[in-house]
Amino acid sequence: MLAEIDLALRDFAHPCAQRFLKWDLSRSNWARDYLGLIADPERRALAKKFLNLFEEEAVPRFPLLRRSVIYGDANDHNALVDPKTKRRGLRH
């Protein structure tokens, strides 16, 4: 179902979609500002290691990837369903 929603949104564009969202994985480096809040030095070093790896390996590849609006927060607390509907998936 989520793949169908993402496909339907592939060409969707809106000015409000161009904003900073902390849960946008491509912008994960904001977490670097909070490394000092990790009290345990080993855990802080581990978090820093993976943020560095992200910056070195993932970030340079972003320009090569397609980007679109997706619905990435589906869970049983924020999805609307019609219990009478037996059909799965979306209509195109």
Side-chain angles (χ1 to χ4, degrees):
M1 170 82 80
L2 291 176
E4 289 183 41
I5 293 171
D6 292 344
L7 283 173
L9 291 171
R10 182 188 297 198
D11 297 322
F12 174 79
H14 190 278
C16 290
Q18 305 302 318
R19 65 186 195 272
F20 177 80
L21 300 170
K22 285 187 175 180
W23 53 87
D24 177 350
L25 296 178
S26 70
R27 297 177 174 161
S28 297
N29 273 337
W30 66 266
R32 188 177 297 281
D33 295 339
Y34 297 90
L35 285 173
L37 299 177
I38 302 173
D40 182 309
E42 288 182 22
R43 287 181 177 225
R44 185 173 49 251
L46 184 62
K48 184 176 180 179
K49 174 184 174 180
F50 282 100
L51 284 170
N52 288 341
L53 186 62
F54 171 79
E55 192 171 310
E56 294 165 10
E57 297 293 329
V59 172
R61 291 178 169 89
F62 290 157
L64 306 173
L65 301 174
R66 190 174 55 235
R67 187 168 174 88
S68 67
V69 172
I70 64 163
Y71 181 61
D73 190 28
N75 63 68
D76 55 351
H77 296 288
N78 68 3
L80 298 176
V81 296
D82 180 352
K84 298 176 205 155
T85 304
K86 292 182 181 179
R87 185 187 185 294
R88 298 179 75 159
L90 298 175
R91 293 182 191 183
H92 298 288

